[in-house]
Amino acid sequence: MPTASSRAALVTLPMAITFAALLSTPLWLAQVGLYQYLALEIMIWMLFALGYNLMLGTTGLPSFGHGAFFGIGAYAFGLLQQRVWASLWFDLFGAVLVTAAFAAIVAACISHRRGIYYALLTIAFGQIVWFVSIKWHTVTGGEDGLLNIERLPVSLGVAQFDLKSNEALFYFCFALFAAVVIVLWRLVHSPFGRILAAIKQNEVRAAFVGHNVWLYKWLSFVIASAVAGLAGAMFAMAQQSAYPNVMSLHSSGFVVMMVLIGGGLVSFWGPVIGALFFILARDLLGAATDTWLLWYGLLFVVMVLWKPEGIAGVWQAWRRRAKHTMPVVPKKEMAHGPV
């Protein structure tokens, strides 16, 4: 019998469509009146949401303070660059490791909890990190944030590429995005991912059959947070700064909304749809009214009440209906034509 990992293709059709759509943005984005930085920001939030969905959608762990790890990655990238070594690869991977280390400590404290208690603890830890980022002026810059973060060149040994333009940074971040998406896809469709799904279905039963539930919850939290740290480091490069507001409770809520409205509970690609929908709604509704978040919130409420599975759930339901309504062609007609 083939394993889950052998059944999962390395590159799927939705993955190819996502990669192709992102790669083609420099060719057509300006033609429709948009700008390249928008595609870069959407891709960063897609990465953040996909990592977060490993917890919420795959493992069933509700973290409402996950913006803290996005912010830790942003600050770690800037501080490593300015105070340790201004090297892109060192700063980037250092930011991921620092974020994962913080996440490992937090996960060790909360992985024995379930449900609402787990969610409340994530909020508490997230608010602690946000408060420290505001008050520790000598390190974080306080409410002004950490400024003057540079877009360092990419050094590949024999060649070096500059990342100062939004387009160059976009292609570099796309390479990181594609690599992480493939890793997450394989992870979710591996035996490890199946155990995470079992924990989501019934944590007690997963423990009863012999799985170390605490360890798997810990790993899910740390991996998702490491991805958030990478997205935060990419965001710091894009913004050339790091601010406390990315760690706030409402910013943590944004990624939850992206995952839920996109359909992350039923589809690996739900967060991609949700991040795209959220950022475009923010820019398009924001251009029409300052109260765009109110209207987006109302739309989110309607979506949750009408179709909790999100946009991906609507698509899946339509496909099932279309499949059931397709006329069945008799085998004789298929082989020999009409009789």
Side-chain angles (χ1 to χ4, degrees), residues 50-69:
L50 281 166
Y52 175 73
N53 198 47
L54 183 69
M55 290 179 59
L56 183 62
T58 304
T59 321
L61 301 178
S63 174
F64 297 141
H66 213 64
F69 301 102

Side-chain angles (χ1 to χ4, degrees), residues 24-39:
S24 66
T25 53
L27 303 177
W28 56 265
L29 211 58
Q31 306 298 323
V32 297
L34 299 175
Y35 44 97
Q36 188 58 44
Y37 181 83
L38 179 64

Side-chain angles (χ1 to χ4, degrees), residues 58 70-71 82 85 108 122-123 125 127 143 164 183 196-197 201 206 215 234 238 242 245 247 264 313 321 331:
T58 304
F70 185 85
Q82 295 177 0
W85 185 21
T122 62
I123 293 175
F125 277 105
Q127 289 300 97
E143 293 183 359
K164 291 184 179 179
V183 170
L196 296 185
Q201 291 295 323
L215 178 60
M234 291 161 60
N245 67 336
M247 300 183 177
R321 286 196 302 269
K331 292 183 178 180

Side-chain angles (χ1 to χ4, degrees), residues 1-18:
M1 180 180 293
T3 64
S5 58
S6 65
R7 287 197 299 267
L10 181 63
V11 178
T12 65
L13 181 59
M15 190 185 299
I17 292 173
T18 301

